[in-house]
Amino acid sequence: MRTFFVEIKCQLGRTYEVASALAEAEIASEIYSIAGDFDVLAKFYVNDDVDIGHFVGEKVQSVPGIANTRTVLTYRAF
């Protein structure tokens, strides 16, 4: 399994709608409201054979109300 995070910038006034849609889709393991340049932080786990770029493009960025995303890959360093 690979772990990664996606920071999500929502269209104005649609943060809760986006977070609810992600929760209903059951694709994120954790969803947080955050302050700063992005509105939502979602944590994902995918199998090693899943292309993260395609996953984000097809499953995350297709959610209505998302204006922009930034994907953060994690590595086992310790």
Side-chain angles (χ1 to χ4, degrees):
M1 291 292 257
R2 296 188 311 184
T3 305
F4 64 97
F5 296 83
V6 178
E7 295 175 311
I8 300 168
K9 178 72 174 173
C10 302
Q11 295 171 349
L12 292 177
R14 299 189 72 183
T15 301
Y16 289 100
E17 178 185 333
V18 168
S20 293
L22 287 170
E24 288 175 16
E26 297 183 350
I27 57 172
S29 65
E30 300 173 43
I31 303 167
Y32 298 96
S33 178
I34 59 174
D37 293 334
F38 290 84
D39 304 304
V40 174
L41 177 68
K43 182 178 183 181
F44 298 90
Y45 292 99
V46 294
N47 290 327
D48 291 335
D49 62 338
V50 172
D51 183 295
I52 291 174
H54 284 144
F55 180 90
V56 172
E58 295 170 7
K59 304 284 187 181
V60 180
Q61 293 175 340
S62 63
V63 172
I66 292 180
N68 193 17
T69 64
R70 178 169 49 197
T71 302
V72 179
L73 302 177
T74 60
Y75 302 94
R76 183 171 298 226
F78 308 100

